[in-house]
């Protein structure tokens, strides 16, 4: 069974204090690893898809990386508006489009 | 483009009542999904559809039914609501590709069953 574990569960940063969120996964054939951002009371917002180990993608202050067992979401010089819950998910190579989500990391950036 | 929309946004039901949640997307996506999100748990797939007129069970289908009569709409029904169905429900859609398949989510419906 596919599994996604995210750590830490919660992270509190000062504005400008860079850090990383971790997503460890086990999946029967990875077709894609996704990062989403979810604000309170809203639906998840797509950020990145990573397909293979060694791949990296960037968007503003966010950079996602992928290895064979885990993915990192690096946040450089975060701002208060980066506060949100970040979800990681994996898509396996099975017969249907089954995506397994982690519980998420709740990030709070303090001015 | 509105993306993925859901109605209603909030609903309170009594045990045993029925209701239908509506999801609509204007991105011409083939695949549509219904998830529920509960505290301390990841998003869990209830039912999904890979095209108009087709539906299939996900991880937690019991107590729910779905229909996809039109490509752009995906309905989730609760025939006899139970307190365990209190949750936030999200609809999502995607366009299948040979590698990767990012899903786009609606704003959610917060359902309380008393």
């Amino acid at each position: 069974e596919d599994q996604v574990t995210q750590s830490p569960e919660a992270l509190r940063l000062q504005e400008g204090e860079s850090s990383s969120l971790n997503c460890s996964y086990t999946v029967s054939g990875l077709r894609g690893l996704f990062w989403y951002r979810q604000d309170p009371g809203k639906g998840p917002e797509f950020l990145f898809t990573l397909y293979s180990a060694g791949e990296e993608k960037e968007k503003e202050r966010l950079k996602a990386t992928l290895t064979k067992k885990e993915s990192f979401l690096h946040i450089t010089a975060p701002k208060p508006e980066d506060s949100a819950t970040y979800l990681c998910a994996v898509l396996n190579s099975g017969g249907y489009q089954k995506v397994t989500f982690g519980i998420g990391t709740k990030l709070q950036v303090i001015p | 483009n509105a993306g993925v929309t859901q109605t209603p946004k909030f609903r309170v039901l009594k045990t045993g009542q029925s209701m239908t949640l509506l999801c609509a997307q204007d991105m011409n996506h083939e695949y549509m999904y219904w998830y529920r999100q509960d505290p301390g748990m990841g998003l869990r797939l209830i039912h999904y559809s890979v095209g108009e007129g087709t539906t299939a069970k996900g991880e937690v289908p019991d107590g729910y039914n779905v229909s996809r009569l039109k490509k752009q709409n995906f309905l989730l029904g609760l025939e006899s609501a139970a307190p365990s169905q209190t949750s936030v429900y999200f609809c999502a859609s995607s366009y299948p590709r040979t590698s990767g398949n990012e899903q786009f989510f609606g704003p959610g419906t917060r359902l309380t069953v008393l």
Side-chain angles (χ1 to χ4, degrees), chain A residues 31-32 34 36 38 41-44 46 49 51 87 91 96-99 101-103, chain B residues 31 33 35 37 40-43 45 48 90 97-103 105-107:
Chain A
R31 285 182 54 188
F34 312 101
Y36 288 86
Q38 186 173 23
K42 296 190 176 181
F46 171 73
T49 306
Y51 297 105
L87 303 177
L91 172 67
Y96 79 97
Q97 300 287 316
K98 184 183 187 304
V99 177
F101 285 84
I103 296 173
Chain B
Y31 290 11
Y33 314 80
Y35 291 90
Q37 187 176 42
M41 306 186 77
L43 286 157
L45 183 65
Y48 66 100
F90 289 102
R97 291 197 289 270
T98 54
S99 61
N101 183 14
E102 53 266 20
Q103 298 178 11
F105 285 81

Side-chain angles (χ1 to χ4, degrees), chain B residues 11-19 36 38 62-64 77-87 89 111-114:
Chain B
R11 186 73 185 267
V12 178
L13 291 179
K14 294 181 179 179
T15 297
Q17 288 185 318
S18 63
M19 76 164 295
R36 61 178 289 172
D38 301 292
D62 294 342
Y64 305 95
L78 286 73
E79 291 184 344
S80 180
S84 59
Q85 294 177 305
T86 293
S87 186
Y89 292 86
L111 174 66
T112 302
V113 182
L114 302 175

Side-chain angles (χ1 to χ4, degrees), chain B residues 38-52:
Chain B
D38 301 292
M41 306 186 77
L43 286 157
R44 292 183 293 167
L45 183 65
I46 304 171
H47 286 280
Y48 66 100
S49 168
V50 299
E52 182 178 318

